[in-house]
Amino acid sequence: MNEAKETFREVNESFTTKEAIDEAKRCLNCKNPSCKKGCPIDNDIPDFIHQLSMGNMGDAMRIINEKSNLPAICGRVCPHEKQCQGHCVLYAKGKGIQIGKLERFIADFDTEMNLIREKLPQKTRGKVAVIGSGPAGLTVAGDLARQGFNVTIFEGQSEAGGVLMYGIPEYRLPKAVVTKEIQKIGALGVNFILNCLVGRDITIDQLFQQGYDAIFIGTGTALPKDLNVPGNTLRGIVQSSYLLHMVTIFNQNIVSRDAVPIHEGDRVAVIGCGNVAMDAARTAVRMGASSVTVLYHRTEADMSAIPSEYQEAVKEGVKFMWKTSTKEFLGDGDGKVTGIRAETPEGIQDLPFDCVLLAIGSRPANRIVSTTTGIEVDETGYVIVKERPYGMTTRRGVFAGGDVVHRPHTVVLAMKAAKQVAAGIAQYVDAVKLLSIE
């Protein structure tokens, strides 16, 4: 492994078995557990921690599996301090149970030891197509497969995982972990068709013709937003999502170092202050940037990034300029970016940069909607869905969930929405089959 790739080793070390059990023993088993209330998918946190405290890894995993299809991933990338851990009664004293790390330990232990495999029902309840293999698609597929549905996931990339595979850096979420979690979904009987872009290689109408009872759209927000200021077409202005994708496939030896849009010694600016901005900034540091500066038009209190990710970025040398708005991109005679004209608390300043990374949000692509009749979207391109059956679009039998409906959010919030849609799909398919019985 070369030196650049070595810097992408996972940052947070896992517990040893003894450390995990000792941490689990600290749980107070509260009568009304607030940690559970803080979990968007209502994980039975005290129950799985109690089983872990007794060394019952299989039972702990079984309890987690009842609510989560991706525990090794959630255990690493969820904003635990805002959710389960932040609600722990010990958290205010600075001694909150490290719930995410315990969840991750159990999931990793299960993968390594191949502890348990569930008794699965026969796939006779209905046939469902899932478009997209990110957190929402994998969750819907896992939930429905466990309930006896025959599920096939259609993914446009050569590997499944979506944002989990290509949008979160290796040091936060190792790709081997994503691959193993996806293999567990496959073990539930879910089929994967890769390199198949719905809306280009196949349409929703054709999927219905192939006998699918329902279709789920979980394609996320594939199109990053641009900053509409003078100079925004200069070379060297790059979407953060593109950088993260290219670094991922560089680390997988699919492309050379030259394909990564940051050169060693570059002065890098990152515009935006969410989790993607933190990922891009910390990735730029690892790729050898001489300096990395995050420009944000609001204050530190307003940023949407997880506090721990911000703190890690500061530790790694990333600088932050608050209340700083980009007014213009500056360039040379060859059309290459050389800096940013910004409005700062000290007035207008020209700041020198060799590369600018944009992390100001994303929106859905319209590939599927434009090749299908009857699916309505709002004025910004997000798919409109109903409450009953939950998640169904304006076209009968077509459902949607995750970021393509609810705006870009965290992995676990995409999973929460997807679990509700999976229940809606099950109700719909059951009702249709019941009505078709003569």
Side-chain angles (χ1 to χ4, degrees), residues 44-258:
D44 293 322
I45 294 165
D47 288 356
F48 82 66
I49 290 179
H50 180 60
Q51 293 299 330
L52 171 58
S53 73
M54 296 188 292
N56 298 337
M57 306 301 181
D59 285 336
M61 189 73 242
R62 177 182 52 75
I63 291 165
I64 291 172
N65 277 341
E66 287 171 6
K67 296 294 170 74
S68 176
N69 290 298
L70 305 168
I73 292 168
C74 286
R76 287 170 164 84
V77 302
C78 273
H80 299 107
E81 58 262 51
K82 290 183 179 180
Q83 295 172 347
C84 54
Q85 266 166 235
H87 284 71
C88 174
V89 294
L90 297 173
Y91 186 76
K93 299 176 183 176
K95 296 179 180 177
I97 305 296
Q98 295 183 62
I99 298 165
K101 214 166 171 181
L102 292 179
E103 180 184 29
R104 158 191 170 171
F105 169 80
I106 294 163
D108 289 351
F109 190 95
D110 172 65
T111 299
E112 194 179 334
M113 299 298 180
N114 202 14
L115 282 185
I116 55 168
R117 285 296 166 262
E118 301 157 63
K119 290 179 182 175
L120 297 171
Q122 286 189 301
K123 304 289 186 283
T124 55
R125 196 167 158 191
K127 189 177 175 186
V128 178
V130 170
I131 304 169
S133 63
L138 292 172
T139 297
V140 166
D143 275 14
L144 292 177
R146 283 189 168 102
Q147 296 173 47
F149 287 90
N150 186 338
V151 184
T152 300
I153 292 179
F154 292 83
E155 170 55 53
Q157 300 277 1
S158 58
E159 282 189 82
V163 69
L164 303 172
M165 184 61 73
Y166 295 109
I168 301 176
E170 181 82 6
Y171 64 83
R172 277 184 66 205
L173 181 61
K175 301 308 159 237
V177 171
V178 178
T179 300
K180 285 169 185 171
E181 289 285 75
I182 290 168
Q183 286 168 350
K184 287 185 181 181
I185 300 289
L188 298 173
V190 174
N191 307 302
F192 289 83
I193 296 178
L194 304 175
N195 294 308
C196 182
L197 206 57
V198 177
R200 184 192 70 190
D201 303 318
I202 193 169
T203 65
I204 279 183
D205 291 328
Q206 289 169 330
L207 288 174
F208 277 127
Q209 287 164 13
Q210 290 180 13
Y212 286 97
D213 298 302
I215 296 167
F216 173 74
I217 302 171
T219 47
T221 48
L223 298 180
K225 292 178 182 174
D226 287 314
L227 196 58
N228 192 18
V229 299
N232 65 352
T233 58
L234 289 165
R235 276 184 302 108
I237 301 171
V238 180
Q239 290 290 349
S240 292
S241 55
Y242 178 74
L243 169 73
L244 296 172
H245 187 125
M246 295 311 291
V247 169
T248 293
I249 59 177
F250 162 64
N251 282 331
Q252 294 171 336
N253 296 315
I254 295 170
V255 298
S256 69
R257 174 66 179 83
D258 294 343

Side-chain angles (χ1 to χ4, degrees), residues 369-404:
V369 171
S370 64
T371 57
T372 308
T373 55
I375 300 177
E376 292 179 18
V377 297
D378 67 15
E379 65 281 356
T380 51
Y382 289 90
V383 177
I384 295 168
V385 295
K386 302 174 182 178
E387 286 292 319
R388 296 186 64 185
Y390 190 88
M392 189 152 86
T393 67
T394 47
R395 175 155 179 188
R396 191 167 175 240
V398 179
F399 292 73
D403 287 358
V404 75

